[in-house]
Coordinates of all heavy atoms in Angstrom, one line a residue:
M160 N -11.8 -22.3 -4.0 CA -10.6 -21.6 -3.7 C -10.5 -21.5 -2.2 O -11.4 -21.2 -1.5 CB -10.6 -20.3 -4.4 CG -9.4 -19.4 -4.0 SD -9.3 -17.9 -4.9 CE -8.4 -18.4 -6.4
D161 N -9.3 -21.7 -1.7 CA -9.0 -21.6 -0.3 C -8.6 -20.2 0.1 O -7.5 -19.8 0.0 CB -7.9 -22.6 0.1 CG -7.7 -22.6 1.6 OD1 -8.3 -21.8 2.3 OD2 -7.0 -23.6 2.1
Y162 N -9.6 -19.3 0.3 CA -9.4 -17.9 0.6 C -8.6 -17.7 1.8 O -7.7 -16.8 1.8 CB -10.7 -17.2 0.7 CG -11.5 -17.0 -0.6 CD1 -12.6 -17.8 -0.9 CD2 -11.0 -16.1 -1.6 CE1 -13.3 -17.7 -2.1 CE2 -11.7 -16.0 -2.8 CZ -12.8 -16.8 -3.0 OH -13.5 -16.7 -4.2
Q163 N -8.7 -18.5 2.8 CA -7.9 -18.3 4.0 C -6.4 -18.5 3.8 O -5.6 -17.7 4.2 CB -8.4 -19.3 5.1 CG -7.7 -19.0 6.5 CD -8.3 -19.9 7.6 OE1 -9.1 -20.8 7.3 NE2 -8.0 -19.6 8.8
K164 N -6.1 -19.5 3.0 CA -4.7 -19.8 2.7 C -4.2 -18.7 1.8 O -3.0 -18.3 2.0 CB -4.6 -21.2 2.0 CG -3.2 -21.6 1.6 CD -3.2 -23.0 1.0 CE -1.8 -23.4 0.7 NZ -1.7 -24.7 0.0
E165 N -4.9 -18.3 0.8 CA -4.5 -17.2 -0.1 C -4.3 -15.9 0.6 O -3.3 -15.2 0.4 CB -5.5 -17.0 -1.2 CG -5.6 -18.2 -2.2 CD -4.4 -18.5 -2.9 OE1 -3.7 -17.5 -3.4 OE2 -4.0 -19.7 -3.1
Y166 N -5.2 -15.6 1.5 CA -5.1 -14.4 2.3 C -3.9 -14.4 3.2 O -3.1 -13.5 3.3 CB -6.4 -14.1 3.1 CG -6.3 -12.9 4.0 CD1 -6.3 -11.6 3.4 CD2 -6.2 -12.9 5.3 CE1 -6.2 -10.4 4.1 CE2 -6.1 -11.8 6.1 CZ -6.1 -10.5 5.5 OH -6.1 -9.4 6.2
A167 N -3.7 -15.6 3.9 CA -2.5 -15.7 4.8 C -1.2 -15.6 4.0 O -0.2 -14.9 4.5 CB -2.5 -17.1 5.5
S168 N -1.2 -16.1 2.8 CA 0.0 -16.0 1.9 C 0.3 -14.5 1.6 O 1.4 -14.0 1.6 CB -0.1 -16.8 0.7 OG 0.9 -16.6 -0.2
L169 N -0.8 -13.8 1.2 CA -0.7 -12.4 0.9 C -0.2 -11.6 2.0 O 0.7 -10.7 1.9 CB -2.0 -11.8 0.4 CG -2.1 -10.4 0.1 CD1 -1.1 -10.0 -1.1 CD2 -3.5 -9.9 -0.2
V170 N -0.7 -11.8 3.2 CA -0.3 -11.1 4.4 C 1.2 -11.3 4.7 O 1.9 -10.3 5.0 CB -1.2 -11.5 5.6 CG1 -0.6 -11.0 6.9 CG2 -2.6 -11.0 5.5
G171 N 1.6 -12.5 4.5 CA 3.0 -12.8 4.8 C 3.9 -12.1 3.8 O 5.0 -11.5 4.2
Q172 N 3.5 -12.1 2.5 CA 4.4 -11.4 1.5 C 4.4 -9.9 1.7 O 5.4 -9.2 1.5 CB 3.8 -11.7 0.1 CG 4.0 -13.2 -0.3 CD 5.5 -13.6 -0.4 OE1 6.4 -12.8 -0.7 NE2 5.7 -14.8 0.0
V173 N 3.2 -9.3 2.0 CA 3.2 -7.9 2.2 C 4.0 -7.5 3.5 O 4.7 -6.5 3.5 CB 1.7 -7.4 2.4 CG1 1.6 -6.0 2.9 CG2 1.0 -7.5 1.1
D174 N 3.9 -8.3 4.5 CA 4.7 -8.1 5.7 C 6.2 -8.1 5.4 O 6.9 -7.2 5.8 CB 4.4 -9.1 6.8 CG 5.1 -8.8 8.1 OD1 4.9 -7.7 8.6 OD2 5.8 -9.7 8.6
R175 N 6.6 -9.0 4.6 CA 8.1 -9.1 4.2 C 8.5 -7.9 3.4 O 9.5 -7.3 3.6 CB 8.3 -10.4 3.4 CG 8.5 -11.6 4.3 CD 9.0 -12.8 3.5 NE 8.0 -13.5 2.9 CZ 7.2 -14.4 3.4 NH1 7.4 -14.7 4.7 NH2 6.3 -15.1 2.8
A176 N 7.6 -7.5 2.5 CA 7.9 -6.3 1.6 C 8.0 -5.0 2.5 O 8.9 -4.2 2.3 CB 6.9 -6.2 0.5
I177 N 7.1 -4.9 3.4 CA 7.1 -3.7 4.2 C 8.3 -3.7 5.1 O 9.0 -2.7 5.3 CB 5.8 -3.6 5.1 CG1 4.6 -3.2 4.1 CG2 5.9 -2.5 6.2 CD1 3.3 -3.2 4.8
S178 N 8.7 -4.9 5.6 CA 10.0 -5.0 6.4 C 11.2 -4.5 5.6 O 12.1 -3.8 6.1 CB 10.2 -6.4 6.9 OG 9.1 -6.8 7.8
I179 N 11.2 -4.9 4.4 CA 12.4 -4.5 3.5 C 12.3 -3.0 3.3 O 13.3 -2.3 3.4 CB 12.3 -5.2 2.1 CG1 12.6 -6.7 2.3 CG2 13.3 -4.6 1.1 CD1 12.3 -7.6 1.1
L180 N 11.1 -2.4 3.0 CA 11.0 -1.0 2.8 C 11.4 -0.2 4.1 O 12.0 0.9 4.0 CB 9.6 -0.6 2.4 CG 9.1 -1.0 1.0 CD1 7.7 -0.8 0.9 CD2 9.9 -0.3 0.0
E181 N 11.2 -0.7 5.2 CA 11.5 -0.1 6.5 C 13.0 0.1 6.7 O 13.4 0.9 7.5 CB 10.9 -0.8 7.7 CG 9.4 -0.6 7.8 CD 8.7 -1.5 8.9 OE1 9.4 -2.4 9.3 OE2 7.6 -1.2 9.3
Q182 N 13.8 -0.6 5.9 CA 15.2 -0.5 6.0 C 15.8 0.7 5.3 O 16.9 1.1 5.5 CB 15.9 -1.8 5.5 CG 15.6 -3.0 6.3 CD 16.2 -4.3 5.7 OE1 17.0 -4.2 4.9 NE2 15.6 -5.4 6.2
F183 N 14.9 1.3 4.4 CA 15.3 2.5 3.7 C 15.1 3.7 4.5 O 14.5 3.7 5.5 CB 14.6 2.5 2.3 CG 15.1 1.4 1.4 CD1 14.5 0.2 1.4 CD2 16.2 1.6 0.5 CE1 14.9 -0.8 0.5 CE2 16.6 0.6 -0.3 CZ 16.0 -0.6 -0.3
E184 N 15.4 4.8 3.9 CA 15.2 6.1 4.5 C 13.8 6.4 4.9 O 12.9 6.4 4.0 CB 15.7 7.2 3.5 CG 16.1 8.5 4.1 CD 17.2 8.5 5.1 OE1 18.2 7.7 4.9 OE2 17.1 9.2 6.1
P185 N 13.5 6.6 6.2 CA 12.1 6.7 6.6 C 11.3 7.9 5.9 O 10.1 7.8 5.7 CB 12.2 7.0 8.1 CG 13.5 6.6 8.5 CD 14.4 6.7 7.2
G186 N 12.0 9.0 5.6 CA 11.4 10.1 5.0 C 11.3 10.0 3.5 O 10.7 11.0 2.8
D187 N 11.8 9.0 2.9 CA 11.8 8.9 1.4 C 10.3 8.7 0.9 O 9.6 7.8 1.3 CB 12.6 7.6 1.0 CG 12.8 7.5 -0.5 OD1 11.9 7.8 -1.2 OD2 13.9 7.1 -0.9
L188 N 9.9 9.6 0.1 CA 8.5 9.7 -0.4 C 8.2 8.4 -1.2 O 7.1 7.9 -1.2 CB 8.3 10.9 -1.2 CG 8.3 12.2 -0.4 CD1 8.1 13.4 -1.4 CD2 7.3 12.2 0.6
V189 N 9.1 7.9 -2.0 CA 8.9 6.7 -2.8 C 8.7 5.5 -1.9 O 7.7 4.7 -2.1 CB 10.1 6.5 -3.8 CG1 9.9 5.1 -4.5 CG2 10.2 7.6 -4.8
V190 N 9.5 5.4 -0.9 CA 9.3 4.3 0.1 C 8.0 4.4 0.8 O 7.3 3.4 0.9 CB 10.5 4.2 1.1 CG1 10.3 3.2 2.2 CG2 11.8 3.9 0.3
R191 N 7.7 5.6 1.2 CA 6.4 5.8 1.9 C 5.2 5.4 1.0 O 4.3 4.8 1.4 CB 6.3 7.2 2.4 CG 5.0 7.4 3.3 CD 4.9 8.9 3.8 NE 6.2 9.4 4.2 CZ 6.4 10.7 4.4 NH1 5.5 11.6 4.1 NH2 7.6 11.1 4.8
K192 N 5.2 5.9 -0.3 CA 4.2 5.6 -1.2 C 4.1 4.1 -1.5 O 3.0 3.5 -1.5 CB 4.4 6.3 -2.5 CG 3.3 6.1 -3.6 CD 2.0 6.7 -3.1 CE 1.0 6.5 -4.2 NZ -0.4 6.9 -3.7
A193 N 5.2 3.4 -1.6 CA 5.2 1.9 -1.8 C 4.5 1.2 -0.6 O 3.7 0.3 -0.8 CB 6.6 1.4 -2.0
G194 N 4.9 1.7 0.6 CA 4.2 1.1 1.8 C 2.7 1.3 1.8 O 2.0 0.4 2.2
E195 N 2.3 2.5 1.4 CA 0.9 2.8 1.4 C 0.2 2.0 0.4 O -0.9 1.5 0.7 CB 0.7 4.3 1.1 CG 1.1 5.3 2.2 CD 1.1 6.7 1.8 OE1 0.8 7.0 0.6 OE2 1.5 7.6 2.6
L196 N 0.8 1.8 -0.8 CA 0.2 0.9 -1.8 C 0.0 -0.5 -1.3 O -1.0 -1.2 -1.6 CB 1.0 1.0 -3.1 CG 0.9 2.3 -3.9 CD1 1.9 2.3 -5.0 CD2 -0.5 2.5 -4.4
L197 N 1.0 -1.0 -0.6 CA 1.0 -2.4 -0.1 C -0.1 -2.5 0.9 O -0.9 -3.5 0.9 CB 2.3 -2.8 0.5 CG 3.4 -3.1 -0.5 CD1 4.8 -3.2 0.2 CD2 3.1 -4.4 -1.2
L198 N -0.2 -1.5 1.8 CA -1.3 -1.6 2.9 C -2.6 -1.5 2.2 O -3.6 -2.2 2.6 CB -1.1 -0.5 3.9 CG 0.1 -0.7 4.8 CD1 0.3 0.6 5.7 CD2 -0.1 -1.9 5.7
S199 N -2.8 -0.7 1.2 CA -4.0 -0.5 0.5 C -4.4 -1.9 -0.1 O -5.6 -2.3 -0.1 CB -3.9 0.6 -0.6 OG -5.1 0.6 -1.3
A200 N -3.5 -2.5 -0.8 CA -3.8 -3.8 -1.4 C -4.1 -4.8 -0.4 O -5.1 -5.7 -0.6 CB -2.5 -4.3 -2.2
L201 N -3.5 -4.8 0.8 CA -3.8 -5.7 1.9 C -5.2 -5.5 2.4 O -6.0 -6.5 2.6 CB -2.8 -5.6 3.0 CG -2.9 -6.6 4.1 CD1 -2.7 -8.0 3.6 CD2 -1.8 -6.3 5.2
H202 N -5.6 -4.2 2.6 CA -7.0 -3.9 3.0 C -8.0 -4.4 2.0 O -9.1 -4.9 2.3 CB -7.1 -2.5 3.3 CG -6.4 -2.0 4.5 ND1 -5.7 -0.9 4.6 CD2 -6.2 -2.7 5.7 CE1 -5.1 -0.8 5.8 NE2 -5.4 -1.8 6.5
E203 N -7.7 -4.2 0.7 CA -8.6 -4.6 -0.3 C -8.8 -6.2 -0.3 O -9.9 -6.7 -0.5 CB -8.1 -4.1 -1.7 CG -9.1 -4.4 -2.8 CD -8.6 -3.9 -4.1 OE1 -7.9 -2.8 -4.1 OE2 -8.8 -4.5 -5.2
A204 N -7.7 -6.8 -0.2 CA -7.7 -8.3 -0.1 C -8.5 -8.8 1.1 O -9.3 -9.8 1.1 CB -6.3 -8.9 -0.1
E205 N -8.4 -8.1 2.2 CA -9.1 -8.4 3.4 C -10.6 -8.3 3.2 O -11.4 -9.2 3.6 CB -8.6 -7.5 4.6 CG -9.4 -7.8 5.9 CD -8.9 -6.9 7.0 OE1 -8.4 -5.8 6.7 OE2 -9.0 -7.3 8.2
E206 N -11.0 -7.2 2.6 CA -12.4 -7.0 2.2 C -12.9 -8.1 1.3 O -14.0 -8.7 1.5 CB -12.7 -5.7 1.6 CG -12.6 -4.5 2.5 CD -13.6 -4.6 3.7 OE1 -14.8 -4.9 3.4 OE2 -13.2 -4.3 4.8
H207 N -12.1 -8.5 0.3 CA -12.5 -9.6 -0.6 C -12.6 -10.9 0.2 O -13.6 -11.7 0.0 CB -11.5 -9.7 -1.7 CG -11.8 -10.8 -2.6 ND1 -12.8 -10.7 -3.6 CD2 -11.3 -12.0 -2.8 CE1 -12.9 -11.8 -4.3 NE2 -11.9 -12.6 -3.8
Y208 N -11.7 -11.2 1.1 CA -11.7 -12.4 1.9 C -12.9 -12.4 2.8 O -13.6 -13.4 2.8 CB -10.4 -12.4 2.8 CG -10.5 -13.5 3.8 CD1 -10.4 -14.9 3.4 CD2 -10.7 -13.2 5.2 CE1 -10.5 -15.9 4.4 CE2 -10.7 -14.3 6.1 CZ -10.6 -15.6 5.7 OH -10.7 -16.6 6.6
I209 N -13.3 -11.3 3.4 CA -14.4 -11.3 4.3 C -15.7 -11.5 3.5 O -16.5 -12.3 3.9 CB -14.5 -9.9 5.0 CG1 -13.4 -9.8 6.1 CG2 -15.8 -9.7 5.7 CD1 -13.2 -8.5 6.7
T210 N -15.9 -10.9 2.4 CA -17.1 -11.1 1.6 C -17.2 -12.4 0.8 O -18.2 -12.9 0.6 CB -17.3 -9.9 0.6 OG1 -16.2 -9.8 -0.3 CG2 -17.5 -8.6 1.4
S211 N -16.0 -12.9 0.4 CA -16.1 -14.1 -0.5 C -15.7 -15.4 0.2 O -16.2 -16.4 -0.1 CB -15.0 -13.9 -1.6 OG -15.4 -12.8 -2.4
G212 N -14.9 -15.3 1.2 CA -14.4 -16.5 1.9 C -15.0 -16.9 3.2 O -15.6 -17.9 3.3
S213 N -15.0 -15.9 4.1 CA -15.4 -16.3 5.5 C -16.9 -16.3 5.7 O -17.4 -17.1 6.5 CB -14.8 -15.4 6.5 OG -15.3 -14.1 6.3
I214 N -17.7 -15.6 4.9 CA -19.1 -15.5 5.1 C -19.8 -16.8 4.5 O -20.5 -17.5 5.2 CB -19.8 -14.3 4.5 CG1 -19.3 -13.0 5.2 CG2 -21.3 -14.4 4.5 CD1 -19.7 -11.7 4.7
S215 N -19.4 -17.2 3.3 CA -20.0 -18.3 2.7 C -19.4 -19.6 3.2 O -20.0 -20.7 3.2 CB -19.9 -18.3 1.2 OG -18.6 -18.2 0.8
G216 N -18.1 -19.5 3.7 CA -17.4 -20.7 4.2 C -16.9 -21.6 3.1 O -17.5 -21.7 2.0
P217 N -15.8 -22.3 3.3 CA -15.2 -23.1 2.3 C -16.0 -24.3 2.0 O -16.1 -24.8 0.8 CB -13.9 -23.5 2.9 CG -13.9 -23.2 4.3 CD -15.0 -22.2 4.5
E218 N -16.8 -24.8 2.9 CA -17.6 -26.0 2.6 C -18.7 -25.8 1.6 O -19.1 -26.6 0.8 CB -18.2 -26.7 3.9 CG -19.1 -25.8 4.7 CD -18.4 -24.8 5.6 OE1 -17.2 -25.0 5.9 OE2 -19.0 -23.8 6.0
S219 N -19.3 -24.6 1.6 CA -20.3 -24.3 0.7 C -19.8 -24.0 -0.7 O -20.5 -24.2 -1.7 CB -21.2 -23.0 1.2 OG -20.3 -21.9 1.2
K220 N -18.5 -23.6 -0.8 CA -17.9 -23.4 -2.1 C -17.6 -24.7 -2.8 O -17.6 -24.8 -4.0 CB -16.5 -22.7 -1.9 CG -16.6 -21.3 -1.4 CD -16.8 -20.4 -2.5 CE -16.9 -18.9 -2.0 NZ -17.4 -18.0 -3.0
E221 N -17.4 -25.8 -2.1 CA -17.1 -27.1 -2.7 C -18.3 -27.9 -3.1 O -18.2 -28.8 -3.9 CB -16.3 -27.9 -1.7 CG -14.9 -27.3 -1.4 CD -14.2 -28.1 -0.3 OE1 -14.7 -29.1 0.1 OE2 -13.1 -27.6 0.1
E222 N -19.5 -27.5 -2.7 CA -20.7 -28.3 -3.0 C -21.1 -28.0 -4.4 O -20.9 -27.0 -5.0 CB -21.8 -27.9 -2.0 CG -21.5 -28.5 -0.7 CD -22.6 -28.1 0.3 OE1 -23.8 -28.2 0.0 OE2 -22.2 -27.8 1.5

């Protein structure tokens, strides 16, 4: 699996979603919670990428 490509795709989608949310009322609790959930998912994916993708490297995954 190409973790770098998957992570980059996730980052792009989360960034777009947060940009859409920012167009809504800044004090809206639902919008704020949605943004927090997206950021949490992004941090979790980053941790997974670091432990699964970048340490072992893509070349060792293909062997």
